[in-house]
Amino acid sequence: APTATCDPTGHCFCTVTPKVTFDLGPIAEGKMCVDPLGNSCGVACAKDSDCSGLCTCDNFFNAANCFWEDQKISALVHIGVAAEPINGGEFLIEYDPSCVTLNSATCLPPYVQEIYRSTATSSVFIACGVDPFGGVNGPGGNVNIIALSFTMIGQCNNCFLCFGDNNPQNTYLVDAGGYKVPVITQCKEISEYGDLVLTVPA
């Protein structure tokens, strides 16, 4: 069984704490016209008739395994399995503005309260939590808490997404008692097409 750790206020929590990850991948609007060899024809599309010549509409994929210019990318912030309810958290998400632009950031159910503010051209700050008047705690992790959408500016750049920790805006989770569940922050490059995971162990 997991051991408990107690802080000076007498609040105790299990040492089995969740990880927070970015699960990245293209969203539906990211389709491109591609030729029979899988190379981009340089046109965004929704159906084959949007393409010309031998090009067809598909999720772009080539030997370089890159996100393509103007392709939209989804980013889901996922909370891993926790030893106790996670009632919310706040997240400073930093990105490279020379590589991607932010389209949106939204809290996902059951996290319905949100504070959304762009702190700069290179970051977004968002706080999510369960309804404080609902009387219901959040799940014990293993849930997506935020959905973000970005658009690629270039292709195959050394982009990054980071969970920031810049006081007073930082990244942490909150348990059912309102106490912080801290996390260790890391960065991950966005240089490959498909699912990427940034692991942030607590």
Side-chain angles (χ1 to χ4, degrees), residues 16 25 29 37 41 61 63 76 78 81 95 97 100 183 190 196 202:
V16 179
E29 295 90 337
L37 298 178
C41 300
F61 181 84
L76 293 175
H78 182 81
V81 176
Y95 55 91
V100 295
V183 295
I190 309 173
L196 303 176

Side-chain angles (χ1 to χ4, degrees), residues 101-191:
T101 56
L102 176 71
N103 301 321
S104 63
T106 307
C107 298
L108 298 173
Y111 302 100
V112 295
Q113 305 297 316
E114 77 180 53
I115 302 168
Y116 168 69
R117 176 171 49 147
S118 179
T119 58
T121 57
S122 61
S123 64
V124 60
F125 179 74
I126 182 167
C128 305
V130 295
D131 184 352
F133 303 106
V136 178
N137 286 323
N142 197 26
V143 64
N144 293 323
I145 188 170
I146 300 171
L148 303 106
S149 172
F150 296 93
T151 298
M152 291 290 295
I153 295 174
Q155 53 180 315
C156 295
N157 292 332
N158 292 323
C159 311
F160 64 82
L161 277 181
C162 292
F163 289 115
D165 188 12
N166 300 323
N167 190 35
Q169 296 165 346
N170 52 21
T171 299
Y172 62 84
L173 301 177
V174 177
D175 67 15
Y179 293 91
K180 290 183 180 181
V181 178
V183 295
I184 299 171
T185 57
Q186 299 173 347
C187 293
K188 178 70 176 185
E189 286 189 356
I190 309 173
S191 58

Side-chain angles (χ1 to χ4, degrees), residues 41-121:
C41 300
V43 177
C45 62
K47 53 190 182 302
D48 286 345
S49 59
D50 295 334
C51 307
S52 60
L54 297 177
C55 297
T56 57
C57 188
D58 200 354
N59 287 319
F60 177 72
F61 181 84
N62 69 2
N65 211 32
C66 296
F67 287 110
W68 190 250
E69 185 176 0
D70 295 328
Q71 183 175 11
K72 291 186 179 178
I73 302 169
S74 64
L76 293 175
V77 177
H78 182 81
I79 303 173
V81 176
E84 55 191 322
I86 299 297
N87 276 11
E90 67 178 43
F91 305 84
L92 178 63
I93 299 170
E94 299 172 335
Y95 55 91
D96 186 347
S98 69
C99 180
V100 295
T101 56
L102 176 71
N103 301 321
S104 63
T106 307
C107 298
L108 298 173
Y111 302 100
V112 295
Q113 305 297 316
E114 77 180 53
I115 302 168
Y116 168 69
R117 176 171 49 147
S118 179
T119 58
T121 57

